[in-house]
Amino acid sequence: MKTIDVETLRTWLEEGRPVTVLDIRPIPERVEWSIPGSMHVDAYNALKENDPKALAEVELPDNKPVVAVCAAGKTSLVAAQQLQTQGIHALSLEGGMKAWSLAWNIAEVSVPNSPMHIVQVRRTGKGCLSYLIGAGDEAIVIDASLDSQVYLDLAKRHGWQITSVFETHIHADHLSRSRKLAECSGARLFLPDQQRVSFPFTAIHDGDTLATPTMLLTALHTPGHTLESMCYLLNNHLLVTGDTLFPTGIGRPDLEADEQQTRLRSTALYHSLYKLLALPSDTSVLPGHTSVPVPFDGIPIAATLGQIDEEVGIIHATREVFIKQIMMRIPPTPPNYRQIVTLNEMGLLPESNVMDLEVGANRCAIS
Ligand SMILES: [Fe+2]
């Protein structure tokens, strides 16, 4: 039986190689998250029952290899086998969507009239966005959510040395790879000032700056999503917002909080958003997450503060209405977030079951 691993399929999609990705999962799982550009056929139950006609009705494009995808890479083996008997070059995705959680792609942006160049690194399924931002021969990384080697290889491609690694907040939806990256690269690890984590770091406070010959980073404390949440303003033009502000929404303030604490955090978020919206409207916002699978299109997920101001209605509400709206719109809690928070507070990255812990799409935003 021929299979394909996540890294190979990821590379094919990034290079634009012809391939048909055939998602055979039940509809509710498909709706939760999927591989961008994939076809869907709800054949899961028929394949489980070994129905030889399970895929008979599927119309596949000619002359392209087909990669069958299921939740964990077992039923897709049956699908690939059935397609192979029809003479189709079919493969099964090893580990299925669970393994696809670690697939990533990038979008690159040069900043006009600036030596700064940004690589937005996107976990396509999970929606985590991290940033490698370089100028001259140095780079910083913000919110690393992938293996260190991904950032080290990308930095090498640009001739950058990673000198600083930042977190915007203690994450609840993915295991932070920042501590590991700082260790691997010899970079300094910066976290917002807080008493939550139990490992060494350099604390960042509101208004702190970090300057290199070509880059100026200014920290803006924006409590709300979490109490320590920090945004980073780069060269007074780019704003890395973590989970505080997104192009189409705002961060949820309820994780690890009871109802009263959620109301208090909502109030803090209201004031934090006010602070951010006071920046120039052409400031580019680079968020920490997106809630839909990220296509392999090289287009950065970003918006100006002016665009967000028009798009996200809730930020114009009065404080009382803002809090009321948030309390009404809080989405379901992400799976395993308590375990993820605990591991991130301890600075631990388990060797096994990472994919089980991080399973599912992102749920950090209220839109
Ligand atoms: Fe978050």
Side-chain angles (χ1 to χ4, degrees):
M1 171 54 61
K2 286 191 177 164
T3 60
I4 183 170
D5 64 19
V6 162
E7 180 56 23
T8 306
L9 178 59
R10 186 199 82 71
T11 308
W12 284 12
L13 293 172
E14 190 159 68
E15 292 173 350
R17 280 180 57 162
V19 57
T20 300
V21 178
L22 183 64
D23 187 342
I24 54 142
R25 295 172 301 156
I27 287 170
E29 291 181 37
R30 165 85 179 173
V31 170
E32 170 84 7
W33 65 334
S34 60
I35 297 180
S38 56
M39 282 178 66
H40 180 243
V41 55
D42 191 354
Y44 185 78
N45 291 333
L47 287 163
K48 284 288 268 187
E49 287 162 14
N50 266 319
D51 176 353
K53 291 183 180 157
L55 300 172
E57 304 294 316
V58 184
E59 286 185 28
L60 293 163
D62 290 337
N63 305 322
K64 281 189 191 178
V66 175
V67 175
V69 180
C70 67
K74 284 185 183 161
T75 311
S76 56
L77 285 168
V78 181
Q81 200 159 33
Q82 286 199 8
L83 293 171
Q84 282 169 16
T85 59
Q86 296 173 35
I88 295 167
H89 178 201
L91 305 159
S92 166
L93 182 66
E94 292 170 18
M97 289 303 287
K98 206 194 272 189
W100 183 254
S101 166
L102 286 170
W104 56 276
N105 62 40
I106 58 169
E108 301 209 36
V109 198
S110 288
V111 182
N113 307 314
S114 162
M116 255 192 331
H117 186 84
I118 303 150
V119 185
Q120 185 179 58
V121 186
R122 301 100 69 91
R123 277 180 68 172
T124 158
K126 188 91 192 125
C128 306
L129 308 177
S130 51
Y131 295 92
L132 173 69
I133 303 172
D137 56 5
E138 283 186 43
I140 65 169
V141 173
I142 301 177
D143 284 344
S145 63
L146 285 159
D147 190 75
S148 300
Q149 203 57 46
V150 172
Y151 302 98
L152 293 169
D153 288 348
L154 288 168
K156 193 175 172 190
R157 207 187 282 174
H158 286 277
W160 296 329
Q161 171 84 27
I162 298 172
T163 53
S164 305
V165 175
F166 292 82
E167 286 277 89
T168 55
H169 64 291
I170 313 303
H171 296 277
D173 66 302
H174 70 266
L175 292 159
S176 170
R177 273 74 166 182
S178 288
R179 187 182 181 206
K180 184 96 182 284
L181 176 60
E183 281 171 9
C184 290
S185 61
R188 276 176 86 183
L189 176 62
F190 294 90
L191 266 66
D193 188 33
Q194 35 67 40
Q195 312 294 320
R196 296 177 62 183
V197 306
S198 54
F199 53 88
F201 66 96
T202 302
I204 291 264
H205 308 87
D206 186 45
D208 282 356
T209 57
L210 185 94
T212 72
T214 46
M215 205 187 299
L216 174 67
L217 176 146
T218 307
L220 300 172
H221 184 213
T222 49
H225 172 64
T226 66
L227 290 178
E228 76 282 355
S229 285
M230 197 73 77
C231 294
Y232 299 114
L233 183 63
L234 292 150
N235 287 10
N236 292 314
H237 179 71
L238 297 168
L239 184 65
V240 178
T241 53
D243 290 350
T244 296
L245 182 62
F246 305 99
T248 57
I250 57 174
R252 63 188 300 165
D254 64 301
L255 295 178
E256 300 279 293
D258 60 25
E259 191 181 328
Q260 195 191 355
Q261 288 165 333
T262 301
R263 286 180 187 278
L264 287 171
R265 281 212 227 153
S266 301
T267 307
L269 182 61
Y270 179 84
H271 293 293
S272 294
L273 294 172
Y274 192 81
K275 177 174 171 175
L276 294 182
L277 288 162
L279 294 168
S281 63
D282 63 350
T283 305
S284 290
V285 168
L286 299 168
H289 286 104
T290 182
S291 53
V292 291
V294 185
F296 286 69
D297 58 5
I299 299 172
I301 294 164
T304 64
L305 276 176
Q307 288 167 331
I308 295 173
D309 197 34
E310 283 183 21
E311 176 75 22
V312 184
I314 192 171
I315 56 183
H316 300 293
T318 62
R319 195 175 70 182
E320 286 65 33
V321 172
F322 178 86
I323 295 165
K324 202 172 157 189
Q325 287 285 321
I326 282 183
M327 300 308 285
M328 280 163 45
R329 292 196 214 170
I330 286 172
T333 46
N336 309 323
Y337 80 94
R338 284 182 194 279
Q339 283 167 277
I340 290 173
V341 166
T342 301
L343 288 164
N344 284 339
E345 288 177 343
M346 295 169 78
L348 296 178
L349 193 57
E351 302 253 312
S352 59
N353 85 334
V354 167
M355 287 185 280
D356 286 318
L357 277 171
E358 291 189 326
V359 73
N362 179 263
R363 290 186 199 154
C364 274
I366 293 174
S367 53

